[in-house]
């Protein structure tokens, strides 16, 4: 059963605190535990503003239909995330360029049939640029091309950081040049990689490397992730090799 959506740009009504019930499962159970932890922290005089903000955002997201899903493409300038989206779409969706910066606002690629189901969620995310398609295999899935995380415009990185905790999954797009430039080792990735559950890393532009170099770079990246996630308690994201040109 689908829930009603607010108009674009509106937020769902303020949620009530989750109530414990014998049949609470999944997200509901975690919200109940989070609410209990917040109450306990307040009793002890521990600041709870950030935890309360997380709880409210989670309840707001759960207020939208479970039939829709938002996946975000995140990467640096010239890494090829826009080109990957255009290759997936089979036509230009998001402008691709090595010019800094290229993507200034998030661009959503959504199924035409699911546009109504996704509008409320995209409005909550404040995504205005929407491109439709007729691929029924991706019904209910919105793919966002986010601004460059290493943009010379500080507001672009800020926009990415606003969206990361709100989307359902993240695909980090890098390439051989960006990886060797230590883009995967900066403070941005150190902060966000351990905080997200559903994520994948795409090593793009594999067409520019010899097969043996691709495998070496992939192993190096996987080892870096193993070291990074060893103490995090979270699942290590897989590494996928891709090319917007070669498929």
């Amino acid at each position: 059963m689908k829930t009603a959506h607010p108009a674009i740009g509106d937020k769902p009504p303020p949620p009530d605190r989750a109530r414990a019930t014998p049949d609470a499962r999944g997200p509901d159970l975690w919200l109940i535990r989070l609410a209990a932890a917040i109450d306990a922290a307040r009793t002890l005089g521990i600041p709870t503003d950030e935890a309360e903000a997380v709880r409210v955002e989670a309840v707001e997201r759960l207020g939208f239909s479970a039939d829709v899903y938002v996946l975000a493409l995140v990467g640096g300038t010239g890494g090829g995330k826009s080109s990957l989206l255009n290759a997936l779409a089979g036509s230009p969706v998001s402008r691709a360029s090595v010019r800094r910066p290229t993507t200034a606002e998030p661009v959503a690629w959504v199924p035409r049939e699911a546009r109504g189901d996704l509008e409320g969620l995209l409005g909550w995310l404040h995504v205005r640029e929407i491109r439709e398609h007729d691929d029924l295999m991706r019904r209910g899935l919105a793919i966002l091309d986010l601004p460059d995380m290493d943009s010379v415009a500080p507001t672009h990185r800020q926009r990415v950081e606003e969206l990361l905790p709100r989307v359902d999954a993240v695909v980090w797009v890098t390439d051989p040049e960006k990886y060797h430039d230590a883009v995967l080792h900066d403070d941005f990735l150190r902060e966000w990689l351990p905080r997200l559950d559903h994520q994948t890393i795409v090593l793009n532009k594999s067409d520019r490397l010899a097969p043996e170099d691709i495998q070496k770079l992939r192993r190096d990246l996987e080892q870096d992730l193993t070291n990074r996630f060893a103490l995090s308690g979270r699942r290590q994201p897989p590494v996928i090799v891709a090319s917007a040109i070669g498929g």
Side-chain angles (χ1 to χ4, degrees):
M1 181 177 180
K2 296 181 179 180
T3 59
H5 300 290
I8 289 182
D10 290 344
K11 287 187 176 181
D16 292 330
R17 183 171 295 278
R19 296 182 177 88
T21 59
D23 58 348
R25 296 289 186 276
D28 290 337
L29 180 58
W30 287 111
L31 284 172
I32 291 168
R33 290 175 175 173
L34 177 57
I38 291 172
D39 288 341
R42 283 183 180 145
T43 301
L44 296 172
I46 299 173
T48 60
D49 290 350
E50 290 187 7
E52 181 62 21
V54 169
R55 188 195 69 81
V56 170
E57 277 202 350
V59 175
E60 287 179 347
R61 175 60 183 92
L62 291 171
F64 296 103
S65 171
D67 295 334
V68 295
Y69 193 83
V70 179
L71 181 149
L73 302 178
V74 186
T77 304
K81 56 188 173 58
S82 298
S83 296
L84 279 177
L85 178 56
N86 292 339
L88 183 64
S91 61
V93 174
S94 187
R95 187 160 59 92
S97 172
V98 294
R99 185 176 65 86
R100 299 173 63 92
T102 299
T103 309
E105 284 293 329
V107 177
W109 187 57
V110 307
R112 195 181 314 275
E113 282 196 2
R115 173 72 180 262
D117 291 339
L118 284 161
E119 278 190 339
L121 180 53
L122 292 175
W124 181 62
L125 296 172
H126 302 291
V127 174
R128 309 299 180 185
E129 294 193 39
I130 301 174
R131 311 285 187 268
E132 297 179 341
H133 64 81
D134 295 308
D135 187 348
L136 298 181
M137 295 295 292
R138 297 182 177 89
R139 180 179 176 84
L141 171 65
I143 300 179
L144 303 185
D145 182 13
L146 299 192
D148 301 331
M149 66 183 187
D150 61 349
S151 171
V152 293
T155 54
H156 294 181
R157 175 166 173 157
Q158 180 183 351
R159 187 75 174 101
V160 174
E161 291 185 312
E162 290 172 353
L163 285 168
L164 281 178
R166 290 188 163 205
V167 298
D168 300 302
V170 172
V171 173
W172 301 97
V173 181
T174 187
D175 64 28
E177 180 180 354
K178 292 291 184 183
Y179 178 68
H180 284 304
D181 285 345
V183 168
L184 285 179
H185 301 269
D186 71 4
D187 59 331
F188 189 92
L189 275 298
R190 279 197 299 269
E191 177 183 357
W192 284 104
L193 273 173
R195 294 173 60 182
L196 303 173
D197 283 328
H198 304 291
Q199 53 188 331
T200 296
I201 295 179
V202 171
L203 181 59
N204 194 24
K205 302 182 181 180
S206 61
D207 55 286
R208 300 184 180 184
L209 297 175
E212 58 272 19
D213 293 332
I214 293 174
Q215 294 309 314
K216 180 180 184 305
L217 193 56
R218 182 176 186 172
R219 287 194 299 269
D220 289 346
L221 182 52
E222 289 174 336
Q223 184 58 54
D224 178 73
L225 291 169
T226 297
N227 296 338
R228 189 184 300 274
F229 279 80
L231 301 177
S232 70
R234 292 184 179 271
R235 181 178 58 184
Q236 177 177 323
V239 176
I240 297 174
V241 176
S243 169
I245 296 176

